Structure formats: C-alpha cells, structure tokens
Amino acid sequence: MSNFDVEQVDSVPTPPKARVETAAETFERKRDYLDGFLKQAPQGVSSGEPGGETYEAVVAALKDIYDPEIPVNIYDLGLIYGVDVTTEGHAVITMTLTTPHCPVAETMPAEVELRVGAVPGVGSAEVNLVWDPSWDPSKMSDEARLEMGML
C-alpha cells in the first residue's frame, strides 16, 4: 500500500535560527540608504538659493541660535520667516519673536545679524524684525514640536 522509503539517521543538523532585525538596525539601514540621496545638492542652483551652499550655511547658522526660554533653535521654532541671499553675498533675514515683550527682543536680532554675517560667503547681513504675521505654535517644525512634547 505505501511507497515510502524509510531511512535511519543518527542525527539531524540544527536548522539556522531566524534573525529578527531590531528597530535600531532597521532605522540605521534606512538612514544609510537615504544618506547619499539626502546630501546631494540640487543641480544648477546658485549658492544663495535654497539648496545652495551659502543659503544652507546661513540656515545652519540660524539653527545654532536657541531661544533662551525654549530649548529649540529659532529656525525650527518658526521665528524665521525668510532667508534671502543675493549673488553678491548680502543676506536678509526676516524674523519675528514669540512676543513683542520677549526678554531678548533687543539682543536676538543683533545675534542673528552677527552669526549670519560670519557665514563664509556672506558679505553683509541685515535682519528685519516683523510682528505681522504674529508668531504662534503652528509655525514650529515637527522636530520642535517633538522636542517640546507637543506631538
């Protein structure tokens, strides 16, 4: 009735165990995959345009300035409304503060002007402090909201 061959064995090799990748390993692999892509500069962009070397250096300088009362940089906090860099290296920053009564209302614009003026490729820096539109938490980046525990 049966057509089975039976073979007698002394032992069977242990099969390899399944390997489960940790969340950190998965994240690291994805970051490695995107790393080169994300660091590529756009083609045909002047240094003063978004994606250009000088523009991105100005944004990086702004991200190094922190609001003394809130542990978030002023760029991610949404206080920077505009960054304009001319081909001659003149940078104009349009910004606001969280409130007109902010304790750093007199010093923050000067610090922004000093830091942006120190960026290689920037010959002069100008800061325009505006109150319209007024700042509100919706202007914050997702990173800032996460840092503040708002996400």
Side-chain angles (χ1 to χ4, degrees):
M1 262 195 160
S2 125
N3 286 340
F4 293 105
D5 291 332
V6 177
E7 180 182 346
Q8 184 74 29
V9 294
D10 292 329
S11 67
V12 176
T14 307
K17 290 187 178 186
R19 185 179 175 285
V20 177
E21 195 173 61
T22 66
E25 291 170 326
T26 302
F27 176 74
E28 188 63 35
R29 182 173 43 83
K30 286 182 180 178
R31 188 168 37 152
D32 287 346
Y33 173 74
L34 291 174
D35 195 37
F37 174 76
L38 296 175
K39 288 186 179 178
Q40 287 180 355
Q43 300 297 319
V45 174
S46 78
S47 67
E49 294 179 36
E53 187 178 336
T54 305
Y55 181 93
E56 295 302 324
V58 168
V59 170
L62 293 170
K63 287 184 175 184
D64 280 342
I65 304 170
Y66 283 78
D67 185 295
E69 296 175 323
I70 304 171
V72 176
N73 69 67
I74 63 172
Y75 190 86
D76 287 331
L77 194 55
L79 298 179
I80 303 300
Y81 288 173
V83 175
D84 297 305
V85 182
T86 66
T87 55
E88 295 82 30
H90 180 68
V92 179
I93 309 300
T94 304
M95 68 174 291
T96 193
L97 297 172
T98 53
T99 173
H101 306 292
C102 182
V104 294
E106 292 184 24
T107 59
M108 182 68 72
E111 182 178 359
V112 169
E113 186 175 330
L114 183 68
R115 296 267 191 110
V116 170
V119 171
V122 174
S124 62
E126 176 184 341
V127 175
N128 295 323
L129 188 61
V130 297
W131 301 108
D132 187 35
S134 60
W135 178 87
D136 63 76
S138 70
K139 293 178 175 36
M140 295 169 62
S141 70
D142 288 342
E143 291 84 6
R145 289 174 202 223
L146 184 63
E147 184 70 31
M148 299 286 296
M150 297 171 74
L151 278 182

